[in-house]
Amino acid sequence: MDEELLELQRQFEFAQQAKSSIRLSERNVVELVQKLQHLQIIDFDLLHTVSGKEYITPEQLRLEIEAEIRRLGRVSLIDLADTTGVDLYHVEKQAQYIVCNDSSLMLINGEIIMNSYWDTVAEDVNERLQECSQIALAEIAAQFQVGSELIVTVLEPRLGTLVKGRLEGGQLYTPAYVARVNAMVRGAARGITVPMNLSALWGLLQSLLQEMEGASGVAVGGSFFQSLFNGLVKDVQILGSLRAGVHWTPNVFATAQKECVDSFFSQNSFISYEALHKLGIQQPIQFLQSRFHEGIPLATTFVHPSMIEMLDAAAEDAIERGSWTDSLSVLPASFLPEDASKILSLCPSVQKALKSNNALLLGDSYVFSNGFVKDLFDRLEKEMETLPLSVLDLHPAKAVKFGNESSGDLAESTETGSESGFSKQVLEKGSKKKKGKSLGNTKTVAAESLPDNQESVSTKSKKNQRKGKATSSSQISDSKSDSRKDVEKMKEDDLTEFSKERLIQKILTLVPDFEDQGAYNPETVLEPLANHLRPMLLSSWKERRKVALTGNAQKMKQLLDTLQRKLDESSLNMQLYEKALNLFEDDQSASVLLHRHLLRTQATSMVDILLHHLDMHNKMKLGIEVADFQNVEAVSLSSGERIAIAKSFPGPLSVKAVAVVEALEGKVSACWLETRSLLLKQIMPKKIGEVGPLFCSLSIFREAFVLHGSKYLFLFLHMFSGLILKKLDKKLDRTLLHSYRKDLTSQVSAETDPVSLLPKVVSLLYIQVYGRALQAPGRAISVAVSRLKDKLDDSAYKILMDYQGATVTLLGLMSAATGDEEDCTSDRILSKKELLETLMPALKGLVLRTS
Amino acid sequence: MEGWDPNTKSALTKIPLLLTKAGPRDGASWTQRLKEEYKALIAYTSMNKSKDNDWFRISAANPEGTRWTGKCWYVHNLLKYEFDLQFDIPVTYPATAPELELPQLDGKTHKLHLNMVLLSNLYSYYSILEFKEINSVFLLSFSGSPRFGIAHALCLGLAPWLAAEIPILVDSGMIKHKDDVASASES
């Protein structure tokens, strides 16, 4: 056993005896802490780290956080949670506490940032700014990873101290840069002499800057320029006025403008707004009014009162002279009619004259003295009087048109026009009805005549079907439409008589002055004048027409009465003669001959009377003076005249009248009957209304007439006249016969011509023998004489026969005679005449004796 | 040496290695060896003490230092389980590892029974306890390395075994705490 081993043994023993150091496990510690907390020995919050191995008091955590902040200047909470090893929740809580208690700290977007950090940032920014002379805020914000708003709020208080620069529209600039740009702006602004939109200017400057700095140059915002510009304006470095923030008007321009306006206005004492517009003045009236208080604004120009004085003098002169003037000719050429009218209304003399009705303003610019217009009107009216009234017949529609043109107040004039038209119609109609017969009033009957026409067409077509002819129907309808057209046309023509053009022409011929005005179109003055005169002329014409109408009304009544009377007369005569024809019914040829004769003599005169009266009536209705309508006893018209008159009738009446005439001449006999009936029906609607059913029988007669020719014309006439005219009763018959006989007797006794004596004697004999009035043509005399054979005694008959034979031979010789030759025929004629003359007393005695 | 738990590993590295390769029969060499053994044990013990991990007491039972006796213990559920420890230094030491014996646990478990000769049978034992690889390494290194001594054997062999085996034995009721035994005998 050596010492060393023992020593070691001892040492080992000692080592084993040594007290071992006491160590607590983590678990024990946790349990202990919990126990302590449970016993409330630890009475504060105790935090533990994320690893769970450490406890930390909030104060300690706060201290650690503060230390971290002071170290770094800017710490994110997440980083703090990592470095302290404490849950983020507690870190946030403590961080908020710290930030609340320390004004130099701020908590932004989960980061705690010290003020001093911002100072360093500002220094950084300043350094960079001095290098680059401009930095965008967005760039800085991106660099420091903060919001640009935050950067702005941080940088703004440090501008001028830490950051030597200027913040403008999201950009930082160095003063040098600002000064340079400012100089640019000033230069540009001073260079401008006309109004300009500043944003356009900024665009130019921007591109200029970019050129200077190359591609690296940051775009400078327009607002930067604008603020610089505003500063310059405020410092009165540039002169001018700014409108709406962008419209820059340099003082130079404004002065130039004003000078220009001033000089023009003072030289010409007027200036047009257009000129101001050209000078760039947007609201010329306000501009001028503020500058020239005494000036007067017109529609397109601005004038000095002296202009009014000048015009006033001209107008006054024209008014006093009883003449007219065109204010445009006095005013400068640039004046428009609106200006003229306005300036005229301002002239004191014109105002006065208008007030006292001494002057008339027409067509904006024309001043007419009342005397001139009156004179013109009188002359025109005189001219108008020469016009026949008939052509001035106006359709109500046309009147409306007139109204429109003259006044322009459409609704009112239409109303009045149509009203007056209607009332007139009604009046006429009423008066006609009162009289019991109304001669064709085309206006009123226009509507009525339509169904009539239809009726006629239908009856006719019925007839035509039976006849197997389909011509006349279409003819009628054609003629009808034609006539309508004619009427329209006629009215158009009437209108032209009063149309503006005509009026203007007339004025031109009356007042040749207008022509002399030469330089401009005379229409411009004449048209308003014509427009002004036209309604006056129309009304005066209407008045005249009305007077004429009322005057004619009485005459028309008389006319109608005469017509009725005459028709009665002749129809009675006709009936009388017709009776005599009954004697010849057994002799066909003689009967036809006689009938034709009757038709030619009596019916012709009837139709003539009818047509004549209708013509006069028509004229009267149109207001034409018909001097002596009473002296129409002896009318005899040629067929050409008849047609002319018939055609002169208005509208459907004309067609019918023409048909009547044609029928009379045996052309379209059927038509004649029909149209005559219609004609009568139209002019005497009242009577027709009463005998309406009888027209059925009329149509039957019509057919009979067509079948048997002219023989039935008489029959029909008899029937027809009997219906509408006076009926031939016995008493009347006798008186008529008596008067006829008396008449004849006196004629016979006075008769010296042997040839014409014979028919009269024969007629007288018929009256004596048969009590009937016979009208026979020469050719029928022999038949008539032979018929008397039975009734007369032989001697008388012999005388008659002898006379008749002698007459026949005489006539035969006369017709055979060549006239101027000296041969035996003339001798023989003479001898025969002598013979007849010797026989005449016997013949006369024959008749006169018996009577 | 990988595969050891970090505590064991760090402890092992702190135990000084033995330089002399000699067995009990080598006379002065063995004395030298014994001195080194003592140094290693002192180092290990002091290390355990400093870590509050003191778990055994041993002393040489004879002057030659070929027989050692003492105690070892383990704390489980705040209860200290203490066992007698004894072993002999085999003559072929250090080529042959000493057989550590816990007589109180003899017969308590077949494993224990088999493994009273701990180091020699360490392989099979730890295989069951899934220390197979660890111990095979240890066994190989130990057996192939004469520089490991008693301290190493305790550190590498007995300490892990106690940590692994005692809780099982306690839970299965094979061993009881001495207080419980005492109270049971009293009653």
Side-chain angles (χ1 to χ4, degrees):
Chain A
M1 274 305 222
D2 59 24
E3 284 296 314
E4 198 184 351
L5 189 66
L6 285 174
E7 178 59 29
L8 278 173
Q9 220 168 353
R10 213 170 36 81
Q11 274 179 15
F12 178 54
E13 193 76 15
F14 181 73
Q16 290 195 81
Q17 293 306 316
K19 189 165 168 44
S20 64
S21 62
I22 311 251
R23 285 183 66 103
L24 287 170
S25 71
E26 281 170 13
R27 253 182 80 188
N28 300 139
V29 175
V30 169
E31 281 162 1
L32 274 172
V33 169
Q34 278 174 348
K35 189 74 177 172
L36 285 172
Q37 276 182 326
H38 184 67
L39 296 172
Q40 296 198 328
I41 295 168
I42 299 175
D43 54 354
F44 47 85
D45 279 339
L46 204 56
L47 308 172
H48 53 82
T49 57
V50 185
S51 65
K53 290 197 187 270
E54 288 172 291
Y55 283 102
I56 186 167
T57 59
E59 285 79 14
Q60 178 61 29
L61 180 61
R62 218 174 290 152
L63 280 175
E64 278 180 22
I65 289 172
E66 276 175 11
E68 193 70 10
I69 292 167
R70 303 234 177 279
R71 197 165 62 82
L72 295 173
R74 172 183 173 178
V75 204
S76 93
L77 289 180
I78 295 161
D79 289 350
L80 270 179
D82 276 354
T83 49
T84 55
V86 180
D87 194 66
L88 184 61
Y89 170 75
H90 300 293
V91 173
E92 274 175 357
K93 230 164 113 184
Q94 294 310 318
Q96 265 162 8
Y97 181 79
I98 293 166
V99 171
C100 284
N101 288 335
D102 193 341
S103 61
S104 71
L105 296 180
M106 56 174 95
L107 181 62
I108 292 150
N109 294 336
E111 282 185 305
I112 301 174
I113 304 174
M114 277 179 79
N115 257 350
S116 60
Y117 173 78
W118 289 125
D119 290 342
T120 57
V121 166
E123 275 162 24
D124 270 11
V125 168
N126 190 37
E127 245 168 60
R128 264 188 75 193
L129 181 63
Q130 301 312 324
E131 273 172 33
C132 310
S133 76
Q134 58 163 2
I135 316 172
L137 274 184
E139 208 179 309
I140 299 169
Q143 189 195 338
F144 294 102
Q145 294 175 339
V146 287
S148 41
E149 290 95 10
L150 177 61
I151 268 290
V152 170
T153 56
V154 165
L155 283 180
E156 253 168 4
R158 290 172 177 82
L159 280 176
T161 53
L162 282 171
V163 181
K164 306 237 176 322
R166 186 173 164 160
L167 185 65
E168 201 74 62
Q171 297 266 55
L172 272 173
Y173 305 98
T174 56
Y177 188 80
V178 172
R180 191 156 66 117
V181 178
N182 199 14
M184 279 175 75
V185 171
R186 185 166 52 224
R190 282 186 179 166
I192 296 168
T193 56
V194 291
M196 185 153 184
N197 194 328
L198 287 177
S199 49
L201 183 65
W202 305 151
L204 285 173
L205 284 180
Q206 231 161 24
S207 57
L208 187 68
L209 264 181
Q210 232 143 22
E211 264 173 43
M212 279 158 53
E213 291 170 9
S216 66
V218 184
V220 183
S223 57
F224 178 50
F225 290 119
Q226 188 72 45
S227 69
L228 287 177
F229 182 83
N230 289 344
L232 286 172
V233 172
K234 207 175 276 173
D235 296 347
V236 207
Q237 291 200 32
I238 45 177
L239 298 171
S241 60
L242 198 60
R243 264 196 313 110
V246 286
H247 294 289
W248 170 249
T249 311
N251 262 8
V252 190
F253 179 76
T255 26
Q257 216 175 33
K258 272 173 200 153
E259 273 170 16
C260 190
V261 172
D262 282 358
S263 64
F264 189 90
F265 190 71
S266 60
Q267 277 166 27
N268 302 308
S269 62
F270 79 91
I271 186 160
S272 73
Y273 301 145
E274 205 184 331
L276 291 190
H277 274 300
K278 276 180 192 159
L279 287 172
I281 298 169
Q282 297 302 317
Q283 289 167 312
I285 297 180
Q286 285 89 322
F287 177 83
L288 287 167
Q289 268 176 339
S290 62
R291 276 191 83 68
F292 310 108
H293 297 290
E294 78 281 9
I296 297 150
L298 300 180
T300 65
T301 46
F302 191 82
V303 295
H304 193 262
S306 64
M307 192 70 88
I308 292 180
E309 281 164 25
M310 188 174 74
L311 183 68
D312 189 42
E316 200 173 2
D317 183 45
I319 292 165
E320 274 174 10
R321 272 192 297 119
S323 173
W324 65 281
T325 184
D326 178 8
S327 56
L328 278 182
S329 66
V330 179
L331 295 169
S334 68
F335 275 58
L336 291 182
E338 303 94 74
D339 299 325
S341 76
K342 202 161 180 189
I343 197 170
L344 272 177
S345 68
L346 291 170
C347 286
S349 69
V350 175
Q351 279 171 346
K352 212 170 81 185
L354 280 176
K355 216 175 266 177
S356 56
N357 267 336
N358 278 333
L360 204 59
L361 282 181
L362 286 178
D364 288 343
S365 63
Y366 300 98
V367 184
F368 287 88
S369 83
N370 229 21
F372 178 79
V373 175
K374 221 172 248 168
D375 179 48
L376 190 63
F377 177 70
D378 289 344
R379 283 156 82 179
L380 277 173
E381 206 175 21
K382 242 174 246 166
E383 185 117 324
M384 285 297 169
E385 272 166 26
T386 62
L387 279 173
L389 280 172
S390 60
V391 281
L392 298 179
D393 186 17
L394 293 170
H395 197 269
K398 303 293 178 188
V400 170
K401 207 172 156 194
F402 272 121
N404 286 347
E405 279 169 10
S406 57
S407 75
D409 191 349
L410 184 114
E412 200 186 35
S413 59
T414 310
E415 214 175 66
T416 53
S418 55
E419 247 175 39
S420 66
F422 273 123
S423 61
K424 208 164 76 186
Q425 284 180 13
V426 169
L427 208 128
E428 280 181 13
K429 219 167 164 181
S431 66
K432 296 282 155 59
K433 277 192 177 164
K434 224 164 31 189
K435 282 175 219 159
K437 32 186 140 180
S438 62
L439 276 163
N441 176 356
T442 48
K443 266 184 267 172
T444 43
V445 186
E448 291 174 12
S449 70
L450 193 69
D452 291 351
N453 279 336
Q454 279 169 347
E455 188 189 280
S456 75
V457 168
S458 64
T459 50
K460 243 170 91 70
S461 63
K462 229 186 280 169
K463 175 198 72 197
N464 280 342
Q465 278 163 5
R466 283 180 219 166
K467 269 170 77 183
K469 283 180 193 170
T471 50
S472 45
S473 161
S474 59
Q475 272 173 1
I476 283 293
S477 58
D478 281 350
S479 65
K480 194 175 81 188
S481 60
D482 283 346
S483 67
R484 277 281 156 80
K485 271 181 211 155
D486 286 344
V487 171
E488 289 295 313
K489 220 165 148 188
M490 232 164 69
K491 277 169 185 164
E492 290 293 337
D493 292 341
D494 295 346
L495 193 65
T496 56
E497 208 59 39
F498 263 124
S499 72
K500 259 190 261 180
E501 288 70 31
R502 286 289 294 269
L503 216 55
I504 288 165
Q505 273 174 8
K506 257 177 211 153
I507 296 170
L508 269 180
T509 52
L510 286 173
V511 189
D513 285 12
F514 290 121
E515 207 93 73
D516 299 340
Q517 293 295 323
Y520 54 92
N521 190 1
E523 297 278 320
T524 51
V525 57
L526 289 178
E527 204 171 293
L529 183 61
N531 272 342
H532 173 71
L533 288 175
R534 218 165 103 185
M536 286 160 62
L537 282 172
L538 268 175
S539 61
S540 89
W541 171 79
K542 270 181 192 158
E543 237 162 74
R544 255 178 343 114
R545 187 161 164 267
K546 212 169 151 191
V547 169
L549 276 178
T550 47
N552 277 3
Q554 190 60 31
K555 290 180 186 170
M556 269 153 76
K557 197 180 168 189
Q558 290 177 7
L559 182 74
L560 290 173
D561 285 345
T562 18
L563 174 63
Q564 177 72 18
R565 188 161 45 77
K566 280 178 185 163
L567 279 178
D568 280 351
E569 231 171 64
S570 50
S571 73
L572 285 174
N573 278 340
M574 218 163 160
Q575 286 167 64
L576 198 64
Y577 300 141
E578 183 256 355
K579 254 185 174 176
L581 293 191
N582 291 346
L583 296 174
F584 296 93
E585 254 160 18
D586 50 343
D587 185 348
Q588 188 66 32
S589 62
S591 172
V592 168
L593 205 61
L594 286 167
H595 272 108
R596 198 161 286 161
H597 178 71
L598 188 63
L599 185 64
R600 207 159 285 158
T601 53
Q602 288 298 314
T604 303
S605 70
M606 263 176 85
V607 169
D608 285 352
I609 289 163
L610 181 69
L611 285 176
H612 195 74
H613 279 76
L614 277 178
D615 180 36
M616 282 201 299
H617 181 263
N618 204 24
K619 279 178 182 164
M620 277 183 195
K621 205 177 71 207
L622 297 175
I624 300 165
E625 290 293 331
V626 180
D628 44 355
F629 66 94
Q630 303 285 18
N631 305 343
V632 288
E633 306 299 331
V635 249
S636 68
L637 300 163
S638 74
S639 67
E641 280 170 331
R642 266 179 231 128
I643 291 286
I645 290 172
K647 279 186 177 162
S648 73
F649 290 151
L653 194 61
S654 162
V655 184
K656 287 162 186 172
V658 170
V660 168
V661 173
E662 281 177 352
L664 182 70
E665 279 149 29
K667 281 181 192 163
V668 194
S669 31
C671 279
W672 175 71
L673 284 170
E674 183 180 13
T675 40
R676 203 200 129 124
S677 77
L678 285 169
L679 195 64
L680 287 164
K681 185 167 127 189
Q682 199 174 65
I683 59 177
M684 302 173 187
K686 213 172 170 184
K687 282 194 172 177
I688 294 300
E690 285 166 1
V691 299
L694 285 171
F695 269 82
C696 300
S697 60
L698 267 186
S699 64
I700 296 163
F701 278 119
R702 238 176 272 140
E703 269 169 53
F705 180 81
V706 171
L707 289 172
H708 296 106
S710 62
K711 179 185 171 189
Y712 285 95
L713 173 60
F714 180 75
L715 187 64
F716 165 70
L717 266 177
H718 168 77
M719 287 298 291
F720 191 65
S721 309
L723 284 170
I724 57 162
L725 301 171
K726 267 185 192 164
K727 208 155 190 175
L728 191 66
D729 54 21
K730 264 191 180 154
K731 193 183 164 194
L732 199 60
D733 187 27
R734 207 174 299 138
T735 51
L736 268 176
L737 208 57
H738 184 70
S739 65
Y740 185 54
R741 185 174 167 171
K742 236 175 153 179
D743 191 27
L744 266 181
T745 316
S746 61
Q747 275 183 34
V748 165
S749 58
E751 189 57 73
T752 51
D753 183 22
V755 182
S756 55
L757 180 67
L758 181 63
K760 282 168 185 164
V761 171
V762 173
S763 301
L764 201 53
L765 279 172
Y766 261 77
I767 293 168
Q768 287 169 355
V769 177
Y770 292 107
R772 301 205 178 165
L774 175 69
Q775 278 224 322
R779 273 187 289 171
I781 286 289
S782 61
V783 186
V785 169
S786 64
R787 209 157 269 268
L788 286 170
K789 188 181 175 182
D790 306 337
K791 303 289 174 182
L792 296 174
D793 48 19
D794 289 346
S795 63
Y797 182 66
K798 200 174 171 291
I799 293 168
L800 203 56
M801 281 302 286
D802 286 349
Y803 196 90
Q804 196 249 339
T807 314
V808 170
T809 40
L810 174 65
L811 286 174
L813 282 172
M814 279 170 81
S815 60
T818 48
D820 54 347
E821 281 173 45
E822 285 286 323
D823 54 12
C824 53
T825 46
S826 60
D827 295 340
R828 277 160 72 182
I829 290 168
L830 278 175
S831 65
K832 275 286 172 197
K833 261 191 180 165
E834 281 164 16
L835 174 72
L836 280 175
E837 271 162 17
T838 52
L839 282 170
M840 265 170 71
L843 198 60
K844 277 185 186 173
L846 187 72
V847 195
L848 295 174
R849 178 170 32 93
T850 48
S851 60
Chain B
M1 298 272 283
E2 64 276 359
W4 294 91
D5 71 291
N7 287 339
T8 312
K9 218 163 121 186
S10 69
L12 190 66
T13 54
K14 280 171 187 163
I15 303 169
L17 289 172
L18 303 185
L19 299 169
T20 310
K21 187 184 172 184
R25 290 186 184 179
D26 293 338
S29 296
W30 168 247
T31 308
Q32 186 56 38
R33 168 83 190 195
L34 203 58
K35 284 176 189 171
E36 287 174 15
E37 292 280 0
Y38 270 119
K39 282 174 188 167
L41 280 170
I42 290 165
Y44 183 48
T45 306
S46 57
M47 186 175 74
N48 279 345
K49 297 265 184 193
S50 70
K51 286 186 177 176
D52 190 20
N53 194 22
D54 193 20
W55 63 278
F56 66 91
R57 293 274 184 282
I58 56 167
S59 58
N62 57 1
E64 293 79 24
T66 54
R67 184 169 176 79
W68 293 74
T69 55
K71 287 183 183 295
C72 69
W73 61 88
Y74 184 79
V75 177
H76 178 65
N77 283 343
L78 299 177
L79 292 173
K80 190 179 179 183
Y81 296 91
E82 201 172 42
F83 310 102
D84 290 336
L85 173 68
Q86 56 181 32
F87 57 91
D88 289 309
I89 304 295
V91 287
T92 53
Y93 187 85
T96 308
E99 292 179 11
L100 302 174
E101 290 171 48
L102 298 173
Q104 279 160 325
L105 293 181
D106 193 10
K108 295 272 180 178
T109 166
H110 65 287
K111 286 182 263 176
L112 194 68
H113 164 70
L114 282 174
N115 292 297
M116 282 300 99
V117 188
L118 255 175
L119 288 174
S120 58
N121 296 315
L122 213 52
Y123 174 79
S124 59
Y125 176 71
Y126 279 111
S127 72
I128 295 162
L129 293 171
E130 299 181 357
F131 276 99
K132 183 172 71 180
E133 279 181 57
I134 301 167
N135 288 306
S136 72
V137 169
F138 161 72
L139 189 65
L140 284 173
S141 61
F142 186 84
S143 58
S145 166
R147 296 148 76 87
F148 281 0
I150 296 162
H152 295 93
L154 287 172
C155 173
L156 290 175
L158 191 56
W161 184 87
L162 283 172
E165 201 65 18
I166 295 305
I168 296 170
L169 289 171
V170 172
D171 291 346
S172 62
M174 294 290 279
I175 49 172
K176 284 200 163 63
H177 194 256
K178 56 187 178 187
D179 295 349
D180 296 340
V181 175
S183 62
S185 62
E186 270 169 30
S187 63

